[in-house]
Amino acid sequence: MADTKSMQIENKQVDKKKTKSHRITFGIIYLVLAAFIWIVFVNGTDTSILTTFNMTPGGSSAYMDDWIFPTASTLSTLAFICAIAGAYQIIRGFGKFTNGILALVAGIFIFSFLSWASSGGSINLAGLLRVTVVRAVPLTLGAMAGMLCERSGTVNIAIEGMMLTSAFVSTVIASLTNLWIGMLAGVLTGGLIAWIHGVLTIKYKVDHTISGTVINIFATGITSFLSSKFLQKTDYQYLNEPGMFPQIDIPVLSKIPFVGPILFSHNMYVYAMFLLVPFLTVMLFSTRWGLRLRSVGEHPKAADTLGINVIKTRYMAVILGGMMAGFAGTYFTLGSSGRFDELLTAGRGFIALAAMLFGNYHPVGAMGAGLLFGFFDSLSAKASILKVPIPSDFLGMMPYLATIVVLAGVVGRSQAPAAAGKSYDKESL
Amino acid sequence: MAPLLELRGITKRFPGVLANDHIDLTLEKGEIHALLGENGAGKTTLMNILYGLYSQDEGDIFVNGNKVTINEPTDAIKAGIGMVHQHFMLIPVFTVTENIMLGEEYVKAGGFLDRKKAAAKITEISDKYNLNVNPDAYVRDLPVGTQQRVEIIKILFREAEILIMDEPSAVLTPQEVDELFKIMRVLVDQGKSIIFITHKLREVMECADRITVIRGGKVIGSTTPKEADTKKLATMMVGRDVQLKIKKTKSDPKETVLNVENLRVMNSQQHLAVDDISFNVRAGEVLGIAGVQGNGQTELVRALTGLLPPTEGKIEILGQDTPQEKPRFITELGSAHIPEDRQKDGLILAFPVADNLILNTYFHEPFSKGITLQFDEIANSGNALVEKFDIRTPSVNTPVSNLSGGNQQKVIVAREFSRPIKLLIASQPTRGLDVGSIEYIHKRLMAKREEGCAILLVSTELDEIIQLSDRIAVMYRGKILDILDAQDATKEVLGLLMAGIKPSDEMKSQAKHEEQIILT
């Protein structure tokens, strides 16, 4: 037992060394951000200028007064807070609050940027956050789709293709029948494509990335072809009029000023996201089903020796993941645009995978990442209205830059399931 | 009364191989039955059939006299059979509890896992058999010995009566092996029965009640430790007389060939794997490096052979500084390398034997002239080496992947020994080989020593280290704890060092004394 102890102590020492360099890096980053707020934002702003944040999104009944504050003095205070955090981080470190402080400093920086960008004018903060939530939906759902697959050992980069195809199918079916049947058709389409991915990777042991790429290319081709041949032609317009799920205002909750319109005044996709995240978390980490699913993705041979059917479990997880991706796909048409256009998913399936990694294969983390990406997404759309000397395209790059930074391991490396991407061969040891 | 377990006429064919040929085996309640055989004899195949991982082509399995059909591990578990696999079947990111209850989960209403109840049962089992396992620990944080005990609890948790242990000692230090044997005794005393698979004669003699020897997929015979001795067992295992002990002349070390000072090496995870090591190897002597796998030996060898640049320290081969040199410079100096993973680092599996034999000389005459390879020369030299080193291959054009492990290793030895070398770095040269091949490789190594070659032998097999080395260094967590003369080194002392404990001088002489008593 002495062995265990000395090993743990050694591990701790290694961790300590690592955290020390991490600690100092973070501290320096905080200081740089503080300096940036000070030099760029505060210095360029006259002391008399005010910033106005509108706290009510357009068309909402839950009214809240605008938030008006003097730009320069507020920003100075925020820069000061960042600097203190940085100094403390270098000298002592925040221990278990490290990630919380990191989020706080990042939040302060973004807030400062917004204040500066809208100084002398106004920005609709509530509207910005409302759009953030909406944009997070396909990313979070897509990330959870990828998570179901990868947690069980199958890499699925075909989320994009599954979304696109299901968006197409749901549009046509919903146009012919109704929204719910259309949505269901989209979910089944996702499941069907995932089954093909499963057959290729689980049964025929094709490289998972290749199978996924093939599916993506196929989905792009077939939907673009059928769309240009039918959906975009005036003769067939009746196939491209699915309608949209209506906005549902949650009684009472949606009347809360500021928060209400941001969180509780959406169509059913946003609520589905809010429900699916905790549901999947509980399923994955607290049930027999989840334990077995994860075991198959970590060490299939071990699961097999304990009588768990690896192949069946993997098929089940991949198909469920595909259905989740299919559901996410129907959001684009039935929840957002109300019609199908070529390539309307615009790479969101891949961003969803980034959100999955960013969120460390955890549903809650995935939603956090989805919201972050969604925020930049909605910010880049807003930025074109603001009189900021930064091109909105640059802001549009922010989510991807953030992904690169995260994947490079700055905020602690995400832990992929050990057997992800490896097909299982029963007779080999 | 019917035996607890009976296998009758088990036969399993793989394409081109008869892995099990009508094997009969019985296991009585409360005994440790050792299944002894060389690698590839068919022990593991037989056990995988018994555990439902493979299905037999012929034969029947009886438990308590009743015939059972085992197609899946679940069937085996139901029949009361559990298995500790050679490579642990544990999920590092799961806790002990999660690993153990996987497949047999305790659930509360609504399908939620009942971790508390399972942990309580694990603690109960752990206490009953004195296994000392914490159910809430993550498996990745546990030392190997504890992981093995987790595997044992996994079986007991399923209330198995029959435990199959497949080469359980392979990953353990000698002390941990003793501990394991004690645990096995406790299990048997409490009414469990154990099938113990191994190829190590000493272990069989030490802990088995009954021994069955398997060779070439057939049962050769059964005996007990009282009736048999290691010599007889070895002969049964290999099918001919084997020289177990290599005759070693006294070494006559000459000039220093390899000199290492204050070497530090980082592994791929940027952890310090070799921590401030100094030693030298002289011409005509064997320096053995003992240690449990994963204590920095791999990184040390990679640094010495130029595959991994060290972060600090000095490496001198024949007076040349080499830390920053490329592998080819080091081989051209007259150093040879038998890598620990022959299939990954030693051979190009898809290439024919002849090409593998010239991997580090192909750019010299006569194998190449200008930019072209001389195929006739390569084939001739290949044939000569195949003959000289007794490599069993249909032809020199056969891909190396088609050869057996022993013959693959002979290809590497032939390649390295056919050059004029002054330093040999041999890492696990006999891992996974049968007794016959081990004997052959050992003889070759000793012959090189006689010729005046300096040999650095890295091995996790203590017997091998003690037999071949003139001096023995023990590595633990990247450091060399001690360098002993082979005469002073006992298994006891080496075992303590391998576990990171520096024995006092008294203990050393005490151990030596005890060993002498046992020997005489």
Side-chain angles (χ1 to χ4, degrees):
Chain A
M1 282 303 95
D3 207 31
T4 328
K5 227 177 236 167
S6 66
M7 191 150 144
Q8 279 167 352
I9 289 167
E10 191 146 304
N11 279 346
K12 257 180 210 152
Q13 278 167 345
V14 173
D15 284 350
K16 239 183 210 163
K17 258 185 221 161
K18 229 180 181 174
T19 26
K20 194 182 171 195
S21 69
H22 248 155
R23 202 179 79 203
I24 291 173
T25 319
F26 277 11
I28 291 170
I29 291 173
Y30 296 173
L31 290 180
V32 168
L33 289 181
F36 195 89
I37 296 175
W38 185 265
I39 294 164
V40 179
F41 296 164
V42 178
N43 272 355
T45 315
D46 195 273
T47 40
S48 62
I49 286 177
L50 299 178
T51 292
T52 307
F53 283 161
N54 304 119
M55 305 301 270
T56 313
S60 171
S61 54
Y63 181 78
M64 188 175 173
D65 284 336
D66 289 348
W67 183 19
I68 304 166
F69 55 86
T71 316
S73 58
T74 312
L75 290 186
S76 312
T77 318
L78 292 177
F80 187 65
I81 294 174
C82 276
I84 300 252
Y88 191 79
Q89 176 77 24
I90 288 178
I91 299 163
R92 294 290 300 274
F94 286 100
K96 59 180 175 171
F97 300 112
T98 303
N99 284 340
I101 298 293
L102 176 68
L104 179 76
V105 172
I108 287 178
F109 184 76
I110 290 165
F111 182 85
S112 308
F113 170 76
L114 286 179
S115 310
W116 169 71
S118 55
S119 58
S122 72
I123 188 168
N124 194 329
L125 186 66
L128 190 70
L129 294 179
R130 191 183 134 78
V131 175
T132 297
V133 173
V134 172
R135 299 268 164 115
V137 170
L139 301 180
T140 308
L141 294 177
M144 290 195 291
M147 200 179 302
L148 277 164
C149 297
E150 297 216 6
R151 281 270 184 194
S152 73
T154 304
V155 169
N156 185 355
I157 62 157
I159 304 280
E160 176 81 1
M162 290 172 186
M163 282 182 172
L164 194 58
T165 320
S166 102
F168 178 88
V169 172
S170 66
T171 304
V172 175
I173 302 289
S175 303
L176 295 173
T177 57
N178 68 41
L179 283 169
W180 288 100
I181 295 179
M183 194 268 283
L184 203 66
V187 170
L188 293 178
T189 307
L192 182 75
I193 299 175
W195 174 73
I196 295 170
H197 185 58
V199 172
L200 286 172
T201 56
I202 299 167
K203 185 164 183 199
Y204 294 109
K205 303 182 175 61
V206 174
D207 184 281
H208 299 199
T209 311
I210 291 179
S211 168
T213 307
V214 167
I215 288 173
N216 281 334
I217 294 171
F218 174 77
T220 310
I222 189 96
T223 55
S224 299
F225 170 73
L226 292 175
S227 170
S228 64
K229 207 76 179 155
F230 299 104
L231 297 191
Q232 311 304 332
K233 293 274 163 67
T234 31
D235 291 353
Y236 295 102
Q237 264 319 297
Y238 65 92
L239 285 178
N240 201 2
E241 287 166 347
M244 267 169 70
F245 281 103
Q247 178 175 322
I248 306 164
D249 293 330
I250 309 261
V252 186
L253 290 178
S254 66
K255 297 288 179 240
I256 304 170
F258 191 60
V259 179
I262 292 173
L263 294 181
F264 302 112
S265 186
H266 290 284
N267 64 30
M268 68 95 180
Y269 282 97
V270 172
Y271 306 131
M273 172 178 79
F274 287 151
L275 292 176
L276 281 171
V277 167
F279 178 72
L280 190 61
T281 306
V282 170
M283 287 303 284
L284 275 178
F285 298 104
S286 304
T287 68
R288 166 159 57 193
W289 176 86
L291 188 72
R292 292 187 171 188
L293 188 149
R294 288 185 291 133
S295 76
V296 161
E298 292 286 349
H299 195 335
K301 189 95 198 170
D304 196 2
T305 58
L306 297 175
I308 291 162
N309 190 327
V310 177
I311 304 297
K312 223 158 105 187
T313 310
R314 284 193 167 178
Y315 268 116
M316 181 269 301
V318 169
I319 290 172
L320 279 179
M323 290 168 76
M324 181 77 88
F327 180 61
T330 63
Y331 157 83
F332 289 99
T333 50
L334 308 183
S336 174
S337 70
R339 58 174 280 117
F340 183 87
D341 289 296
E342 279 173 39
L343 303 181
L344 87 170
T345 48
R348 294 296 199 298
F350 295 110
I351 307 292
L353 286 179
M356 172 187 76
L357 288 167
F358 203 139
N360 204 4
Y361 299 86
H362 194 289
V364 176
M367 187 166 83
L371 286 169
L372 184 70
F373 292 173
F375 177 77
F376 282 109
D377 211 358
S378 83
L379 187 63
S380 69
K382 271 269 190 312
S384 45
I385 313 167
L386 295 169
K387 47 180 180 49
V388 185
I390 304 170
S392 69
D393 294 329
F394 184 79
L395 285 173
M397 281 158 48
M398 290 306 288
Y400 312 102
L401 274 176
T403 310
I404 291 169
V405 169
V406 167
L407 295 189
V410 171
V411 195
R413 201 169 285 275
S414 67
Q415 197 67 52
K422 290 179 194 140
S423 298
Y424 180 56
D425 195 352
K426 196 179 160 101
E427 294 260 313
S428 81
L429 276 171
Chain B
M1 212 182 95
L4 180 59
L5 175 75
E6 186 175 5
L7 303 181
R8 267 188 225 155
I10 302 286
T11 301
K12 172 79 182 171
R13 294 181 195 90
F14 286 117
V17 192
L18 189 58
N20 288 161
D21 185 4
H22 295 92
I23 289 191
D24 296 325
L25 188 75
T26 59
L27 178 71
E28 300 292 342
K29 190 172 168 58
E31 72 166 353
I32 298 178
H33 189 151
L35 205 51
L36 182 69
E38 294 190 300
N39 290 299
K43 296 166 296 181
T44 301
T45 307
L46 183 67
M47 290 305 116
N48 280 340
I49 289 170
L50 182 55
Y51 193 64
L53 290 169
Y54 300 158
S55 46
Q56 72 267 36
D57 298 323
E58 284 169 44
D60 296 312
I61 300 168
F62 299 85
V63 175
N64 286 320
N66 304 316
K67 189 177 158 179
V68 291
T69 314
I70 296 175
N71 294 324
E72 290 284 328
T74 354
D75 301 332
I77 293 166
K78 265 189 214 130
I81 301 170
M83 182 159 173
V84 175
H85 299 263
Q86 193 174 357
H87 306 282
F88 294 156
M89 295 296 166
L90 295 172
I91 297 164
V93 297
F94 281 16
T95 63
V96 168
T97 306
E98 287 171 339
N99 266 292
I100 289 173
M101 73 170 168
L102 181 64
E104 194 99 330
E105 298 86 350
Y106 283 3
V107 286
K108 294 184 269 203
F112 295 108
L113 296 171
D114 194 343
R115 291 190 168 89
K116 264 198 193 131
K117 200 176 147 200
K121 183 168 174 190
I122 290 163
T123 310
E124 190 193 312
I125 295 171
S126 170
D127 291 346
K128 184 175 171 193
Y129 297 98
N130 200 12
L131 294 171
N132 203 357
V133 166
N134 169 15
D136 298 324
Y138 280 90
V139 164
R140 59 162 180 245
D141 298 331
L142 301 176
V144 186
T146 315
Q147 290 192 13
Q148 191 166 55
R149 296 202 292 275
V150 174
E151 284 278 32
I152 293 172
I153 296 182
K154 215 155 105 181
I155 296 170
L156 300 173
F157 188 84
R158 288 163 175 75
E159 326 231 298
E161 291 302 316
I162 301 165
L163 284 81
I164 308 168
M165 307 191 78
D166 190 1
E167 303 269 1
S169 61
V171 288
L172 305 179
T173 63
Q175 273 79 8
E176 283 175 320
V177 172
D178 288 345
E179 191 67 22
L180 174 70
F181 288 168
K182 263 185 222 153
I183 290 169
M184 285 164 66
R185 255 313 135 205
V186 174
L187 288 167
V188 169
D189 289 345
Q190 304 247 13
K192 308 284 181 193
S193 316
I194 297 175
I195 300 180
F196 172 50
I197 303 178
T198 186
H199 65 263
K200 292 183 186 163
L201 302 166
R202 187 172 50 84
E203 294 179 351
V204 178
M205 297 299 290
E206 215 169 298
C207 86
D209 297 315
R210 216 143 54 88
I211 304 166
T212 295
V213 181
I214 293 188
R215 182 172 81 233
K218 284 189 186 129
V219 172
I220 298 303
S222 273
T223 178
T224 63
K226 276 190 200 126
E227 294 163 11
D229 56 55
T230 46
K231 184 100 189 140
K232 186 179 157 201
L233 286 174
T235 310
M236 282 169 83
M237 228 166 109
V238 183
R240 61 179 166 82
D241 278 345
V242 186
Q243 196 185 341
L244 286 175
K245 282 252 188 298
I246 292 277
K247 281 187 205 98
K248 197 163 67 178
T249 50
K250 189 148 175 46
S251 73
D252 176 23
K254 303 210 167 58
E255 76 283 1
T256 301
V257 176
L258 171 68
N259 184 31
V260 175
E261 276 171 37
N262 305 101
L263 187 71
R264 284 170 197 270
V265 187
M266 295 276 199
N267 67 8
S268 51
Q269 278 97 49
Q270 293 306 309
H271 289 171
L272 202 58
V274 174
D275 188 1
D276 198 12
I277 275 187
S278 305
F279 64 87
N280 62 52
V281 190
R282 294 159 66 187
E285 74 160 352
V286 177
L287 175 71
I289 301 223
V292 180
Q293 201 175 346
N295 274 290
Q297 302 97 316
T298 306
E299 288 79 7
L300 172 65
V301 168
R302 290 182 76 83
L304 295 179
T305 49
L307 295 169
L308 185 66
T311 42
E312 255 176 72
K314 197 160 112 180
I315 303 172
E316 265 182 10
I317 297 176
L318 294 162
Q320 287 261 18
D321 257 334
T322 60
Q324 304 307 327
E325 296 296 346
K326 296 209 160 55
R328 179 177 290 183
F329 179 87
I330 295 168
T331 45
E332 290 290 280
L333 265 182
S335 125
H337 178 206
I338 300 178
E340 64 174 15
D341 187 340
R342 59 175 158 269
Q343 303 206 327
K344 205 169 129 239
D345 298 325
L347 298 165
I348 300 177
L349 289 176
F351 280 18
V353 172
D355 288 0
N356 270 291
L357 284 168
I358 55 155
L359 283 181
N360 49 18
T361 43
Y362 68 89
F363 46 88
H364 284 308
E365 290 210 20
F367 301 127
S368 62
K369 271 184 192 157
I371 59 162
T372 56
L373 289 172
Q374 304 298 309
F375 294 109
D376 292 344
E377 286 295 339
I378 293 169
N380 289 342
S381 136
N383 279 319
L385 288 176
V386 163
E387 181 105 350
K388 187 173 166 202
F389 286 85
D390 189 28
I391 301 166
R392 310 270 163 86
T393 172
S395 93
V396 288
N397 298 319
T398 310
V400 171
S401 55
N402 292 2
L403 271 54
S404 73
N407 282 305
Q408 290 183 350
Q409 192 72 340
K410 283 182 190 168
V411 171
I412 295 175
V413 170
R415 177 179 72 214
E416 300 300 329
F417 286 14
S418 60
R419 299 183 295 131
I421 54 168
K422 305 214 174 59
L423 171 67
L424 171 65
I425 298 167
S427 189
Q428 315 283 6
T430 57
R431 173 186 280 176
L433 300 187
D434 52 76
V435 176
S437 300
I438 291 174
E439 191 192 6
Y440 178 86
I441 304 260
H442 282 179
K443 274 188 190 155
R444 283 282 175 184
L445 286 176
M446 294 325 280
K448 270 285 159 202
R449 169 175 169 267
E450 301 300 312
E451 285 173 25
C453 182
I455 298 178
L456 181 75
L457 171 71
V458 179
S459 175
T460 50
E461 296 286 337
L462 260 191
D463 291 313
E464 179 169 84
I465 290 275
I466 292 177
Q467 249 186 60
L468 301 184
S469 309
D470 300 308
R471 289 187 299 141
I472 301 171
V474 182
M475 270 187 93
Y476 177 75
R477 289 186 195 220
K479 288 186 187 295
I480 287 185
L481 283 196
D482 205 352
I483 301 183
L484 310 165
D485 268 346
Q487 301 102 303
D488 303 337
T490 60
K491 243 175 217 177
E492 175 96 71
V493 170
L494 289 176
L496 284 172
L497 286 167
M498 281 164 77
I501 302 157
K502 253 189 140 155
S504 62
D505 290 338
E506 284 160 59
M507 278 166 77
K508 276 188 203 169
S509 57
Q510 169 101 13
K512 186 77 199 165
H513 185 62
E514 277 170 15
E515 194 171 83
Q516 271 162 356
I517 292 172
I518 293 166
L519 285 175
T520 48

